[in-house]
Amino acid sequence: MARRFTIVCDDEQARIIETLARRYGITEEEVLSQLVDLGLEARDEQTV
């Protein structure tokens, strides 16, 4: 079951997210989802 979270970004972070979404033709939500996934994977790698 999917859950919804809210994130608050400063203007610079928002611009970066928008730029990535445009560059790769995906939504800002998908950019955020991928960034969260990458962050969790990096965290998992550090705890191994």
Side-chain angles (χ1 to χ4, degrees):
M1 180 170 137
R3 293 183 59 186
R4 183 171 294 272
F5 291 90
T6 301
I7 184 169
V8 177
C9 300
D10 64 26
D11 290 340
E12 179 62 23
Q13 291 170 322
R15 277 191 292 275
I16 293 168
I17 291 163
E18 291 166 349
T19 299
L20 288 168
R22 274 193 310 275
R23 181 179 299 160
Y24 295 103
I26 59 178
T27 65
E28 288 91 353
E29 290 85 358
E30 182 61 27
V31 171
L32 291 168
S33 178
Q34 290 182 23
L35 290 171
V36 168
D37 286 343
L38 287 170
L40 291 173
E41 287 175 14
R43 180 185 115 2
D44 288 346
E45 289 173 4
Q46 289 178 351
T47 60
V48 171

